[in-house]
Amino acid sequence: MSIQILPQIALEEQSQSHIVRSIPLLFYPMPNVLYTHRQERLKELSKDSPFGDYLLFCAEIVKEQLALLKQDPIKVDLSNILNANSHTAPLALANYPLSKKWQEYLQKILAALPKMTPEIAHLINTLKQNSSETLQEKAELLLNGKFNQVESNESLFIWAALSLYYTQLASQLKGKAYAENSEEDWFCPVCNSLPVASTIQIGNNVGLRYLHCSLCESEWYMPRVKCTNCDDLQHIHYFSLDEERAPTEAECCDSCHSYLKIFNQELAPRLDVMADDIATLMLDMKTEEENFSKSGLNPYLFAQKMD
Ligand SMILES: [Zn+2]
Ligand SMILES: [Zn+2]
């Protein structure tokens, strides 16, 4: 199936009451709103979490992303890639080569971050000594999904800078891009990266499920009760740590033995996919004990992806 990812263009869904409603297929990010909320949410979750210190460290990174967004925003003309009428993700490396702008963001993030532990201070110093060519190579390895070829702690900072760059690009596409919704629709239709997790939304899209991109922060529609890794519809079950109707569940597929978290905004309206994914790390541990492996990527948890 080939689809246009224009937000204005919608699929039609026949609901049980035979009322047809429109489904927006894609939401581009709003970086300012996103980073502001994420920073607040990380701090909120840190108060009552065994991972509190780490959540606060992540909040510091997001604070820098937000500051750079205001101080040094990018504005680029994306009409070339849009006019190319490509049916692949417009911001995928093959369509839109990576400039070195992201490296300026990386250096500024590294300079501004508090050295919360000696390990972080050492890591920041090591990264600062990388040549521009080395950094570009590492970034391209990560963008090509070769996560185990870059040291996981370095990946976190590199991805934070890359994400700030790509999120701005995605926010400037303004609903004019095209992408193919092929059999691999678990990859972001805008930048071709893996999702962090999925959310069941509220508001105008109540009850609909969207995957959230780990790089450009776009969100794309995915029907519920369907494996986001192999499209299986038959062998899906849900696992949570606590009560029935938990706001966070692991959607597990017995066909490909993968899982991805699904967050329900109806039960946790203030959630942020990235922050809540870190705060619910216990659920990952329990799900992995059952021999399921995570199909998504949280850039703040690269070490988990490496294992
Ligand atoms: Zn993306
Ligand atoms: Zn599957």
Side-chain angles (χ1 to χ4, degrees):
M1 174 178 65
S2 182
I3 59 162
Q4 292 175 300
I5 53 170
L6 296 164
Q8 301 93 314
I9 297 214
L11 290 175
E12 289 184 338
E13 184 188 62
Q14 195 111 21
S15 75
Q16 286 171 342
S17 58
H18 303 289
I19 296 166
V20 174
R21 67 173 171 173
S22 295
I23 299 176
L25 293 178
L26 180 87
F27 295 104
Y28 293 107
M30 293 187 284
N32 199 346
V33 176
L34 183 109
Y35 291 134
T36 304
H37 175 63
R38 180 165 300 156
Q39 201 190 338
E40 286 167 9
R41 182 64 173 162
L42 283 162
K43 287 180 186 166
E44 208 171 278
L45 290 169
S46 75
K47 288 176 191 153
D48 196 23
S49 167
F51 314 111
D53 287 347
Y54 190 64
L55 289 160
L56 287 176
F57 169 66
C58 297
E60 291 293 334
I61 296 179
V62 179
K63 181 179 159 195
E64 293 313 319
Q65 288 175 315
L66 181 60
L68 287 169
L69 179 73
K70 290 176 179 169
Q71 290 159 17
D72 188 13
I74 50 171
K75 190 125 185 74
V76 288
D77 181 4
L78 295 169
S79 50
N80 279 347
I81 53 164
L82 299 177
N83 291 338
N85 199 21
S86 166
H87 285 276
T88 53
L91 298 181
L93 262 189
N95 289 331
Y96 194 74
L98 181 63
S99 84
K100 289 191 173 175
K101 176 67 190 174
W102 74 274
Q103 291 195 22
E104 293 173 27
Y105 289 147
L106 176 68
Q107 298 304 342
K108 287 177 182 169
I109 290 171
L110 295 178
L113 270 185
K115 318 284 183 290
M116 292 165 82
T117 65
E119 290 76 22
I120 292 173
H122 176 71
L123 182 64
I124 289 175
N125 282 334
T126 311
L127 256 181
K128 279 182 180 166
Q129 286 160 18
N130 278 209
S131 70
S132 173
E133 288 68 34
T134 304
L135 287 175
Q136 205 70 1
E137 278 166 26
K138 288 180 178 177
E140 291 186 3
L141 284 170
L142 292 177
L143 294 175
N144 282 314
K146 294 176 179 155
F147 304 118
N148 58 3
Q149 294 187 28
V150 184
E151 206 274 315
S152 62
N153 290 324
E154 290 189 0
S155 301
L156 188 160
F157 296 104
I158 294 172
W159 197 274
L162 285 172
S163 185
L164 174 59
Y165 173 72
Y166 276 99
T167 301
Q168 290 179 80
L169 292 183
S171 73
Q172 288 170 28
L173 284 171
K174 296 189 174 68
K176 293 177 186 162
Y178 292 77
E180 187 156 309
N181 189 2
S182 65
E183 284 121 47
E184 298 193 335
D185 56 3
W186 47 88
F187 287 105
C188 172
V190 176
C191 75
N192 207 35
S193 294
L194 288 169
V196 181
S198 70
T199 54
I200 297 169
Q201 299 203 348
I202 50 177
N204 290 337
N205 307 304
V206 63
L208 300 180
R209 184 256 283 270
Y210 289 82
L211 289 165
H212 188 108
C213 179
S214 58
L215 181 67
C216 79
E217 312 260 5
S218 297
E219 295 188 310
W220 67 102
Y221 174 71
M222 171 70 71
R224 287 169 70 170
V225 201
K226 178 182 179 183
C227 175
T228 58
N229 187 52
C230 77
D231 284 348
D232 189 281
L233 297 163
Q234 308 295 327
H235 306 95
I236 308 295
H237 68 271
Y238 295 87
F239 181 62
S240 67
L241 293 180
D242 29 46
E243 77 280 17
E244 289 170 44
R245 295 206 81 217
T248 311
E249 294 178 312
E251 187 174 64
C252 302
C253 173
D254 289 325
S255 183
C256 68
H257 297 283
S258 77
Y259 78 95
L260 193 67
K261 275 185 218 157
I262 179 163
F263 297 101
N264 192 336
Q265 271 189 328
E266 285 179 283
L267 302 174
R270 282 192 50 75
L271 73 86
D272 168 81
V273 175
M274 215 76 96
D276 283 68
D277 189 48
I278 305 166
T280 54
L281 204 49
M282 293 301 280
L283 178 58
D284 291 282
M285 293 171 185
K286 293 286 178 194
T287 310
E288 281 164 18
E289 276 172 24
E290 303 290 320
N291 288 326
F292 290 96
S293 62
K294 193 170 190 165
S295 59
L297 168 72
N298 186 326
Y300 291 97
L301 301 171
F302 262 113
Q304 185 199 17
K305 191 70 190 165
M306 303 280 295
D307 294 336

